[in-house]
Amino acid sequence: MKKIHIYEPAMCCSTGVCGPSIDPELLRMSFVMNNLKKTDIEAERFNLTNEPNAFVENEAINQLLMSEGMDALPATFVDGELLCKGKYPTNAQFSQWSGLSEEELVQKPKVRLSLKGDA
Amino acid sequence: MERFTRSQFPDTPFLFFTGKGGVGKTSVASSLSIAIAGEGKKVLLISTDPASNLQDIFGQTLSNTPTKIEGVDNLFALNLDPEQAAQHYKEQMVGPYREKLPEVVLQNMEEQLSGACTVEIAAFNEFAKLLTDRSVIENFDTIVFDTAPTGHTLRLLQLPSAWSTFLDDNTTGTSCLGPLKGLEPQREIYKEAVERLKSADQTALMLVTRPDVNPLKETARASNELFEIGIQNQILLVNGYMKDLNSNDEMEKAFIARQIKALELIPKELKQFEQYYLPFVPYSLSSMERMQAWMTDQDITHENEIEKGMTIPEVEEMIADYLERKPKIIFTMSKGGVGKTTVASYIALRLAEEGMHVHLTTTDPAAHLNWTFGDDKIKNVTVSRIDPKSEVANYEAEVLAKASETMNEEGLAFVQEDLASPCTEEIAVFRAFANVVENHKDEIIIIDTAPTGHTLLLLDATEAYHREISRSQGEIPLAVSNLLPRLRDANYTSVAIVTLPEATPVFEATRLQQDLQRAGLSVNWWVVNQTFSSIETTSPTLIQKQQAETKWFEEIKSFSNNQFVAIPWVKTPPVGTKGLHELKGEKNK
């Protein structure tokens, strides 16, 4: 089983809600990761705030942070090999790794729209 | 309105006090506790003031376990410092990774855990532990908290899905719940604590306010928010009401008239609750004897400080400085209830009168457009209003539209609650403010709200991050990224902190100053509003008030590095050109 692991910096909210705007890159990542999960690929994101332990356990990411600091994040490992750092992988890269087409990767999941008012 | 006396004390086991800094929450809570303990009930008084003046009042060091108060039978006190709780919580999250992760990485984690939400939630965690601790509950008849949790914290804890699915398999985004996650093991405790708060048999909420227009409005808002969550057993306490003793002093008469007028305009939301007043005292209630006397209406010996003869600089000194240095942006900021909108309007008016082109923008929900200027048209001034509510609504619509593309219902419920957080409102307002700056480049811009240090650091970090990952400005509005560096430029941006010559407002002002310094902004001026020291009066009460202010002026002088000015208390609310000119003080008239 292929493993795609992405290590991300600490974000107050990775939705960007607490930032100045919603980040389209983060949104794209949500789509891609969701769609990858439907396949037999192990697709995981590790956020520094919630899962600092993941950054300690993975020696490669730990080393990377020691030498390059925060600029190295986000960093993507495919089957343990660092293939992308300082930015999120492109859809073309994901496609190459997963065998899914770029279209399949960014397909929107079906969810009920706004539930504003009844939360 | 009746005076608050023993017979009006609620007899629930839990009493919570809420109200803005400086309204006298701690004084009322302590006096009440002393009075109840005096009747043989065992009382625990819990303070959450970071610089607890309980320690000064009782002359004892307090900790986070109940300490017996010397000299009062049955009274115990305990001090919870929310900043310390947040610090502790942060350390709990970050500590295990010291030595294991590089320093820059730890710093990044720490800043993300420095928001208002983390402090609030860490503080609630401490509350909840006490509220559900059998050994505490069974040991005391009455537990008095000198502060109450906010609506945002309570809603966050109440989201039904909070503890189930979202936290377990949240892959689409962390949120204000990020900080909450570390507290997950206590979920049952929170549930019980919230139930206890909502029960009218268990809890009474005391709304403490002052007989003044804006504090009453702010109280109505806080009351409403907590009422909607289910905390409905509320009582209104108007603190600092001055009895009319038919004095001949013009200032004293005006002081009373202003209070009566404000109480006539009491917001309708507050009318459903029982209302009581507590009398004005011109000295600080810093000892047990004074507090006991205050509750029971005994006469007490007055404070007789010798006046130190300090000259108090008037507000025109600050105006002269602005005219000379010509900053492009002037912020007036404070923790609410001390008149920052009035100060912003005064600066705008005076700079305009001196021939500068000024744009004044306000976020004060109590202020109507042109409110402080009345109907007067003023040359060289344009005015706009940023409505935090509609800015948040716009932002919310934008965020929810995008979030609903990827999130399920639980996820969306969380995003929605995040949007109700204080950080979000600040961000939304900051975006609107950045647009105002962009559109009024040729004018001096004066704004009556400033972002907190945390917001600035957050924007900064996000901006750097966006630049990094997308090799562009991402979706950061250009206006925002243009503005950030300028705020740190002392020639471009000037900050004035507004305060009152009283304990809590001064303390809050020093915290604001530190917070801004953390983000690289410097404070130029402290403005001490509503001072009695600079008025002429023969009223013995007001003369005592003047004497009590001396101590705070000394403190302000030192905290502000001698960069402070004072504005006198005025007989009528300072509205319109004429009203604002009253703020100048005696020698500039």
Side-chain angles (χ1 to χ4, degrees):
Chain A
M1 189 166 75
K2 219 179 196 60
K3 288 181 188 168
I4 299 179
H5 288 177
I6 305 180
Y7 295 83
E8 302 174 294
M11 288 178 271
C12 197
C13 338
S14 48
T15 53
V17 169
C18 290
S21 65
I22 281 233
D23 184 337
E25 276 295 275
L26 292 171
L27 210 57
R28 178 173 70 88
M29 289 317 298
S30 301
F31 291 135
V32 170
M33 295 308 264
N34 255 330
N35 290 326
L36 286 177
K37 282 198 171 163
K38 289 181 208 150
T39 68
D40 60 355
I41 293 168
E42 185 189 311
E44 300 259 12
R45 290 168 77 176
F46 303 99
N47 180 293
L48 190 53
T49 318
N50 293 343
E51 281 152 300
N53 220 18
F55 290 73
V56 178
E57 282 165 5
N58 180 341
E59 222 166 276
I61 186 77
N62 201 332
Q63 283 301 321
L64 183 69
L65 287 173
M66 292 283 180
S67 55
E68 297 184 23
M70 291 303 289
D71 290 350
L73 300 181
T76 307
F77 289 79
V78 181
D79 289 333
E81 195 185 340
L82 175 67
L83 290 185
C84 182
K85 63 176 181 178
K87 60 181 179 201
Y88 287 109
T90 62
N91 290 340
Q93 281 174 301
F94 277 118
S95 173
Q96 194 195 329
W97 300 330
S98 66
L100 291 181
S101 72
E102 291 189 34
E103 256 162 40
E104 285 171 307
L105 278 170
V106 293
Q107 217 167 41
K108 291 176 187 177
K110 287 196 177 75
V111 289
R112 244 175 59 191
L113 285 174
S114 171
L115 77 169
K116 207 174 170 312
D118 48 59
Chain B
M1 202 188 304
E2 267 179 77
R3 191 194 190 294
F4 187 65
T5 57
R6 176 61 191 107
S7 53
Q8 274 90 29
F9 291 4
D11 51 14
T12 53
F14 299 100
L15 295 172
F16 280 84
F17 286 81
T18 185
K20 285 268 182 204
V23 295
K25 272 196 304 289
T26 306
S27 303
V28 183
S30 317
S31 314
L32 195 61
S33 300
I34 295 172
I36 299 174
E39 292 172 358
K41 281 190 175 177
K42 206 168 165 194
V43 180
L44 176 62
L45 170 59
I46 297 166
S47 157
T48 53
D49 193 334
S52 174
N53 35 16
L54 274 192
Q55 310 205 103
D56 297 337
I57 291 170
F58 296 122
Q60 265 174 266
T61 309
L62 300 175
S63 70
N64 59 358
T65 51
T67 302
K68 167 94 183 68
I69 297 300
E70 302 301 327
V72 188
D73 285 341
N74 302 317
L75 180 61
F76 292 75
L78 179 158
N79 188 39
L80 293 178
D81 180 342
E83 296 280 335
Q84 215 174 22
Q87 197 58 41
H88 178 75
Y89 174 69
K90 205 154 75 175
E91 194 47 38
Q92 205 179 305
M93 301 288 279
V94 179
Y97 302 101
R98 288 197 198 287
E99 313 284 299
K100 291 184 183 157
L101 289 171
E103 193 52 38
V104 279
V105 175
L106 297 172
Q107 275 169 9
N108 177 241
M109 289 171 75
E110 280 182 352
E111 187 52 45
Q112 294 303 336
L113 290 168
S114 297
C117 296
T118 308
V119 178
E120 256 182 43
I121 286 166
F124 188 82
N125 184 43
E126 302 284 323
F127 264 142
K129 275 196 246 161
L130 284 167
L131 272 178
T132 52
D133 183 341
R134 310 258 163 255
S135 70
V136 173
I137 295 171
E138 282 159 18
N139 234 317
F140 294 96
D141 300 309
T142 307
I143 301 178
V144 180
F145 290 84
D146 86 350
T147 195
T150 69
H152 172 57
T153 305
L154 292 174
R155 283 195 310 271
L156 210 51
L157 292 165
Q158 269 185 313
L159 283 176
S161 47
W163 308 106
S164 50
T165 49
F166 189 80
L167 282 181
D168 295 337
D169 49 46
N170 160 25
T171 53
T172 36
T174 52
S175 65
C176 284
L177 288 200
L180 206 58
K181 189 164 169 132
L183 302 173
E184 205 187 341
Q186 285 98 303
R187 63 171 87 165
E188 280 306 313
I189 293 184
Y190 296 147
K191 203 177 151 208
E192 201 186 325
V194 172
E195 285 312 311
R196 197 151 275 174
L197 275 166
K198 292 204 286 193
S199 156
D201 300 331
Q202 297 271 308
T203 300
L205 181 76
M206 319 291 275
L207 306 160
V208 187
T209 190
R210 286 190 179 189
D212 215 342
V213 176
N214 285 331
L216 282 165
K217 281 184 185 161
E218 274 165 13
T219 305
R221 273 199 295 276
S223 157
N224 198 34
E225 199 188 33
L226 292 168
F227 191 86
E228 279 178 1
I229 289 164
I231 305 176
Q232 302 187 340
N233 187 15
Q234 304 186 7
I235 296 171
L236 183 71
L237 288 182
V238 178
N239 188 20
Y241 184 71
M242 193 160 168
K243 259 189 282 183
D244 195 347
L245 300 172
N246 295 315
S247 148
N248 287 323
D249 183 71
E250 210 186 312
M251 280 294 169
E252 188 172 317
K253 278 198 271 190
F255 187 79
I256 292 164
R258 234 183 113 164
Q259 293 193 335
I260 291 171
K261 191 98 196 238
L263 287 171
E264 279 168 8
L265 301 170
I266 196 164
K268 63 174 188 315
E269 297 95 312
L270 295 174
K271 287 186 180 160
Q272 60 180 310
F273 308 122
E274 291 173 45
Q275 306 171 1
Y276 305 102
Y277 78 88
L278 278 161
F280 177 82
V281 276
Y283 42 82
S284 70
L285 290 159
S286 53
S287 74
M288 268 186 282
E289 296 70 35
R290 282 185 185 161
M291 269 189 290
Q292 242 156 349
W294 183 43
M295 269 289 154
T296 52
D297 263 343
Q298 291 159 12
D299 264 334
I300 59 168
T301 24
H302 295 146
E303 190 160 7
N304 257 325
E305 267 180 62
I306 301 144
E307 264 195 90
K308 294 189 179 101
M310 178 195 255
T311 45
I312 296 169
E314 293 181 341
V315 66
E316 281 295 304
E317 266 190 42
M318 180 175 78
I319 301 297
D321 173 61
Y322 285 147
L323 288 170
E324 194 189 315
R325 291 193 304 122
K326 299 189 176 60
K328 294 289 288 176
I329 299 173
I330 298 170
F331 285 116
T332 58
M333 73 182 295
S334 75
K335 274 244 160 152
V338 300
K340 61 180 181 305
T341 305
T342 301
V343 174
S345 307
Y346 180 80
I347 297 171
L349 173 69
R350 289 291 299 119
L351 294 184
E353 284 174 345
E354 300 296 328
M356 317 203 71
H357 291 269
V358 180
H359 181 76
L360 171 66
T361 184
T362 169
T363 55
D364 189 347
H368 304 293
L369 201 62
N370 293 335
W371 182 77
T372 40
F373 292 139
D375 296 325
D376 302 340
K377 279 270 169 290
I378 296 154
K379 216 180 138 210
N380 297 339
V381 178
T382 55
V383 182
S384 66
R385 182 177 170 219
I386 295 171
D387 177 5
K389 256 198 189 146
S390 66
E391 292 304 331
V392 170
N394 290 342
Y395 187 51
E396 188 176 288
E398 187 187 320
V399 168
L400 284 178
K402 285 197 176 169
S404 61
E405 291 175 9
T406 56
M407 287 188 172
N408 61 13
E409 286 171 35
E410 280 117 21
L412 282 177
F414 276 104
V415 171
Q416 240 176 351
E417 192 47 51
D418 270 1
L419 286 164
S421 93
C423 306
T424 311
E425 179 172 321
E426 240 190 72
I427 297 269
V429 168
F430 190 83
R431 281 162 47 120
F433 164 60
N435 287 331
V436 171
V437 174
E438 208 60 23
N439 295 333
H440 293 270
K441 281 190 173 136
D442 304 327
E443 290 157 284
I444 292 181
I445 296 156
I446 300 166
I447 181 165
D448 72 354
T449 305
T452 63
H454 178 63
T455 298
L456 292 173
L457 291 171
L458 207 61
L459 285 166
D460 236 14
T462 316
E463 197 214 15
Y465 182 58
H466 275 255
R467 223 185 289 127
E468 197 57 42
I469 60 172
S470 51
R471 308 261 173 245
S472 75
Q473 295 290 346
E475 281 201 356
I476 290 236
L478 196 65
V480 171
S481 50
N482 282 346
L483 184 59
L484 283 168
R486 291 181 191 162
L487 293 183
R488 294 204 174 97
D489 179 351
N491 293 319
Y492 198 94
T493 302
S494 177
V495 178
I497 288 187
V498 185
T499 189
L500 304 179
E502 288 167 32
T504 307
V506 169
F507 178 68
E508 287 183 341
T510 60
R511 303 246 317 273
L512 276 177
Q513 178 164 289
Q514 285 161 4
D515 179 65
L516 288 173
Q517 279 165 352
R518 191 163 68 99
L521 264 75
S522 53
V523 174
N524 287 105
W525 287 101
W526 282 49
V527 182
V528 193
N529 197 18
Q530 295 175 14
T531 65
F532 285 86
S533 297
S534 26
I535 60 168
E536 294 289 332
T537 179
T538 54
S539 155
T541 315
L542 295 182
I543 286 171
Q544 272 183 67
K545 171 79 181 151
Q546 290 178 330
Q547 287 170 350
E549 284 178 358
T550 317
K551 176 183 174 197
W552 299 110
F553 273 110
E554 291 288 346
E555 300 263 340
I556 289 164
K557 187 177 175 181
S558 131
F559 287 135
S560 68
N561 215 353
N562 219 0
Q563 286 284 102
F564 73 100
V565 290
I567 289 178
W569 182 85
V570 288
K571 291 180 198 163
T572 48
V575 178
T577 321
K578 195 164 165 283
L580 287 169
H581 272 273
E582 292 291 315
L583 303 176
K584 269 184 182 174
E586 290 304 318
K587 62 174 189 253
N588 285 301
K589 268 185 190 162

